[in-house]
Amino acid sequence: MKKSLLTLIIVCTVAVIGGIGMYTYQHQALEINQTIAPIKQGDSTTIYAAYSADGSVSDYVISYLKALKEVSPNIIFITDNKIQRKEIKKLAPYTNQIIAQRHGEYDWGSFKRGVEILKQNGWLANSDEASKKAPLLILANDSSLLVAPTLRPIFAEMSQREADFWGITANADGIYHLQSYFLVFTPKVYQSREFRSYLETVKAEKDGLTVASRYEVPFTSYLENLGYKSSAYIPYKELSYLPLNDKNCYPLALLGKYNAPFLKMRTFTDRLNVQDSRRLVFHWIKEHNPQAYRELIAHLRKIKSPYLKEARE
């Protein structure tokens, strides 16, 4: 009896230790640079910048990548952190390359690295500027929740505006500029030496605000001074009746009146001076895109947002 009991204890102990080992193995954070599929010449490409403190990938990011895949067959996913092993399988169906390495240069550092990869692959120099179907270069990041069912109508509309580069919204803090959470460039811009040179200046800064002031804010005027034409999907002048320069402070107006495809995640932090009721923002998303609402709630729980209480009915 004693021998049997001792055997049982040993077996259970081994099982528990093995379980802990398996849990650690599955959740350990790794640095990776993994090619999933070759980058196809002639297809639009997205460089998607991300960050996660625990190395996980939220479901709203996967939904965003899935929608991007419809308009951009090539996606390079670069996250400024190590990544949990189990998350790689989630990303694989939607990405050509996954890079998870701490570089400390925020999203602009990820954009810089992505452009360098495209340069090495010859993608930047293999586009016909004159073609209406010329591939686009998209810079996007995980700071926004996709609330639109698809991005196709936005790209269809913007293709008629004859802009050399465009974004969703603009801001007048500092100087007028397209906001860098979503930027799209034609070959005329991304094939230029000046475009690549700008990104090559990106380096580590002390915080995100410094990154924005040094790289995001001057970028639009830098390109316009070179003769390139810009456009915002939601024209800034149409929002002039909203007092604050950053129109993302008015999420209900952007979503309800102007059909904004994204909601800034900063809406549910203290880093955005939100002028609308967050409870009404939650309600709008739940009514118009239940899946996006569920993914939003799950992410806010993960980051322990103090504004989750506003989601109650």
Side-chain angles (χ1 to χ4, degrees):
M1 179 69 70
K2 290 182 179 180
K3 185 176 182 180
S4 298
L5 180 59
L6 179 60
T7 302
L8 178 61
I9 292 172
I10 292 172
V11 170
C12 291
T13 302
V14 170
V16 169
I17 293 173
I20 292 172
M22 180 61 69
Y23 180 87
T24 303
Y25 175 78
Q26 291 293 336
H27 291 77
Q28 65 179 317
L30 308 169
E31 278 199 354
I32 67 165
N33 186 339
Q34 183 172 337
T35 298
I36 306 298
I39 295 169
K40 297 179 181 178
Q41 303 293 336
D43 283 342
S44 293
T45 296
T46 296
I47 300 168
Y48 188 91
Y51 173 77
S52 172
D54 65 357
S56 65
V57 179
S58 294
D59 288 342
Y60 83 89
V61 171
I62 301 300
S63 293
Y64 191 166
L65 293 173
K66 184 177 180 180
L68 276 171
K69 196 74 174 175
E70 295 179 354
V71 295
S72 171
N74 298 318
I75 298 178
I76 301 173
F77 181 91
I78 305 179
T79 187
D80 186 11
N81 53 267
K82 296 180 180 180
I83 192 170
Q84 293 180 22
R85 184 184 299 274
K86 64 185 179 66
E87 304 296 78
I88 299 172
K89 287 185 178 180
K90 291 164 58 175
L91 292 166
Y94 310 107
T95 57
N96 296 71
Q97 189 164 349
I98 302 170
I99 300 175
Q101 296 172 343
R102 184 68 173 143
H103 56 68
E105 296 178 1
Y106 293 81
D107 51 348
W108 281 82
S110 293
F111 295 156
K112 177 181 73 173
R113 286 161 173 78
V115 167
E116 180 60 28
I117 290 169
L118 294 179
K119 178 183 175 183
Q120 293 171 0
N121 279 269
W123 186 89
L124 291 175
N126 281 282
S127 302
D128 180 5
E129 292 184 20
S131 172
K132 278 289 185 181
K133 295 183 179 180
L136 301 171
L137 174 62
I138 303 162
L139 304 182
N141 65 35
D142 64 350
S143 68
S144 300
L145 174 76
L146 178 67
V147 295
T150 176
L151 292 169
R152 290 185 186 276
I154 287 93
F155 279 78
E157 177 174 332
M158 296 308 292
S159 69
Q160 304 303 311
R161 295 199 192 175
E162 299 182 351
D164 298 314
F165 68 105
W166 55 271
I168 302 298
T169 53
N171 192 333
D173 282 335
I175 55 175
Y176 171 88
H177 61 278
L178 296 175
Q179 294 181 289
S180 64
Y181 64 88
F182 196 87
L183 293 172
V184 182
F185 306 88
T186 63
K188 185 177 180 180
V189 178
Y190 68 68
Q191 287 180 341
S192 70
R193 176 59 196 164
E194 290 83 0
F195 174 81
R196 296 193 297 274
S197 295
Y198 190 94
L199 290 174
E200 288 167 1
T201 68
V202 174
K203 59 183 179 62
E205 306 291 352
K206 63 179 181 179
D207 53 39
L209 288 176
T210 305
V211 170
S213 65
R214 289 192 176 174
Y215 305 115
E216 177 184 39
V217 173
F219 195 40
T220 300
S221 60
Y222 170 80
L223 292 177
E224 288 181 336
N225 288 337
L226 292 170
Y228 301 119
K229 181 182 176 181
S230 73
S231 182
Y233 173 67
I234 304 174
Y236 191 79
K237 63 182 180 181
E238 292 187 16
L239 305 173
S240 59
Y241 67 96
L242 300 172
L244 298 181
N245 286 329
D246 187 351
K247 306 309 178 183
N248 288 297
C249 295
Y250 307 92
L252 287 176
L254 294 181
L255 294 170
K257 189 174 181 180
Y258 298 99
N259 299 313
F262 300 109
L263 173 72
K264 294 293 288 180
M265 282 296 193
R266 285 189 299 148
T267 303
F268 305 104
T269 71
D270 291 326
R271 297 188 300 114
L272 188 66
N273 187 13
V274 179
Q275 300 297 294
D276 296 330
S277 163
R278 289 181 173 88
R279 183 172 298 182
L280 292 179
V281 176
F282 276 121
H283 180 77
W284 190 98
I285 299 169
K286 185 175 184 179
E287 180 180 355
H288 290 84
N289 192 329
Q291 178 180 336
Y293 176 79
R294 291 191 295 270
E295 292 171 350
L296 171 63
I297 295 299
H299 180 71
L300 295 182
R301 283 175 179 156
K302 184 175 80 170
I303 66 172
K304 296 179 173 57
S305 169
Y307 297 104
L308 256 177
K309 61 181 181 293
E310 300 295 328
R312 67 178 185 270
E313 297 297 331

